[in-house]
Amino acid sequence: MAKKKKLKIAIQGIATSFHEVAALTYFNEPIETVECLSFHQLCESLKNGTSDYAVMAIENSIAGSILPNYFLLQDYHFNIIGELYLPIHMNLLVLPGTKLSDIKTIESHPMAIRQCTEFLHALNGVEIRESDDTALSAKRVKELKLKNTAAIANEFAAKKYGLQILEKRIETHKKNFTRFLVLAKRSNGKIESNKASLCFEVANEVGSLADALTTFKNNSINLTKIQSIPIIGRPSEYSIHIDVEWKRRKSYDTAMHEIMRQVKNLNVLGEYKKAKVEYK
């Protein structure tokens, strides 16, 4: 009997990064992660077929939306087939035996740093340095034997690289999570959906956006997120990204039929199943 081929999942970062944890959690089966040090590389991996799916962070409950990723969603025209809310716990990792007073530099991904601002602001004389990935920062501390540098990363990175967790759960708010999107080159028609991500443009006139959003309200469609993205080369014009949820598919279909007459360049980025938010 032929052995089942592992799915290749593009992630931002390296092994033990939060993206890998999200990919393993979502697919819940043995997978092969394709490590990408930028979100652009992640999209190129999916586009070129070196990965079957991609997992991309889109927002964090402390740091907010990752705006550049909305531009990538527009540019690459991938299909969102799922989402995941992953609890995020940040830890300060150091070489064994290092004390807090020894640390001169702390490095991590910019989003991780933003999630730990309260802890970091309380430190004196410590340089905060941005890197491409949380797990990569942990790997650098280990491989380069950086006695005066700490990394902000998760406990899996601490175990993999043999680092000591000097301070646990240093995120500013303990109910911290990141929302990840699962991307594919084409739609999976088998998914039983109750949520969708859309983007569109509206006329630069009084009430045009309000009229469009009222259409969803009138059809009992719940609006869970709205994000405006500047349209490059067209000052004062924006692409509107929204997430909507429904209980009856017919209500969503009716709303979409009506909204097509109210907006321009309507694009359904994906229809998928709503994920649960479970704090840990």
Side-chain angles (χ1 to χ4, degrees):
M1 187 175 178
K3 188 176 181 180
K4 184 180 178 182
K5 187 178 179 180
K6 290 183 180 180
L7 291 174
K8 293 184 177 181
I9 313 299
I11 61 169
Q12 193 276 316
I14 65 173
T16 72
S17 67
F18 287 106
H19 271 78
E20 184 184 61
V21 176
L24 291 167
T25 303
Y26 181 85
F27 288 95
N28 195 29
E29 64 179 88
I31 60 174
E32 179 182 340
T33 53
V34 180
E35 299 176 349
C36 307
L37 290 186
S38 71
F39 287 112
H40 181 266
Q41 290 178 15
L42 177 146
C43 290
E44 283 294 306
S45 173
L46 183 56
K47 176 185 175 181
N48 297 331
T50 53
S51 59
D52 301 305
Y53 300 96
V55 173
M56 171 192 279
I58 196 67
E59 64 179 300
N60 175 265
S61 55
I62 299 175
S65 296
I66 306 176
L67 294 183
N69 288 357
Y70 282 93
F71 288 102
L72 290 173
L73 289 175
Q74 291 182 165
D75 291 342
Y76 281 89
H77 304 289
F78 294 142
N79 200 273
I80 302 171
I81 64 164
E83 67 174 359
L84 172 75
Y85 291 90
L86 184 72
I88 302 294
H89 303 313
M90 298 295 184
N91 303 285
L92 195 67
L93 312 186
V94 296
L95 290 173
T98 302
K99 300 177 182 178
L100 190 60
S101 58
D102 298 328
I103 297 173
K104 303 301 179 186
T105 303
I106 295 176
E107 74 166 55
S108 193
H109 189 276
M111 289 296 285
I113 291 171
R114 287 172 62 184
Q115 292 168 47
C116 304
T117 52
E118 189 173 290
F119 174 85
L120 296 176
H121 284 165
L123 302 177
N124 294 316
V126 177
E127 177 189 359
I128 309 301
R129 184 182 300 161
E130 296 184 354
S131 71
D132 291 326
D133 179 44
T134 56
L136 185 62
S137 294
K139 183 179 181 182
R140 272 176 36 82
V141 170
K142 175 64 175 181
E143 293 186 346
L144 299 179
K145 297 180 172 58
L146 302 177
K147 297 181 179 180
N148 301 119
T149 299
I152 299 174
N154 60 34
E155 60 181 336
F156 303 105
K159 292 177 182 178
K160 182 177 178 65
Y161 299 111
L163 297 176
Q164 175 186 344
I165 299 179
L166 188 61
E167 296 283 346
K168 292 184 177 181
R169 301 192 65 168
I170 62 172
E171 64 272 13
T172 300
H173 298 285
K174 303 314 171 187
K175 289 185 176 181
N176 181 31
F177 65 84
T178 294
R179 179 184 176 216
F180 293 85
L181 302 178
V182 182
L183 309 177
K185 291 180 73 172
R186 58 189 60 86
S187 173
N188 184 348
K190 299 178 181 179
I191 295 177
E192 184 178 340
S193 57
N194 58 2
K195 186 173 182 179
S197 294
L198 318 169
C199 68
F200 54 83
E201 300 168 27
V202 294
N204 190 11
E205 300 172 355
V206 173
S208 57
L209 177 57
D211 289 343
L213 299 182
T214 299
T215 296
F216 289 109
K217 174 187 175 183
N218 291 341
N219 286 281
S220 301
I221 304 298
N222 186 30
L223 178 70
T224 61
K225 184 177 177 65
I226 181 169
Q227 182 73 57
S228 61
I229 305 296
I231 299 175
I232 297 174
R234 290 159 56 184
S236 301
E237 294 189 38
Y238 297 85
S239 176
I240 309 299
H241 286 248
I242 65 171
D243 293 334
V244 295
E245 300 173 0
W246 61 88
K247 293 182 179 179
R248 296 173 64 248
R249 174 75 195 205
K250 186 177 180 180
S251 300
Y252 168 71
D253 291 338
T254 301
M256 291 298 290
H257 182 73
E258 295 176 15
I259 207 77
M260 287 177 65
R261 298 194 297 268
Q262 296 175 298
V263 304
K264 299 180 294 182
N265 299 326
L266 176 64
N267 185 13
V268 180
L269 300 174
E271 297 174 354
Y272 48 95
K273 191 171 183 179
K274 173 186 175 183
K276 294 181 180 180
V277 182
E278 297 179 333
Y279 296 111
K280 297 179 181 179

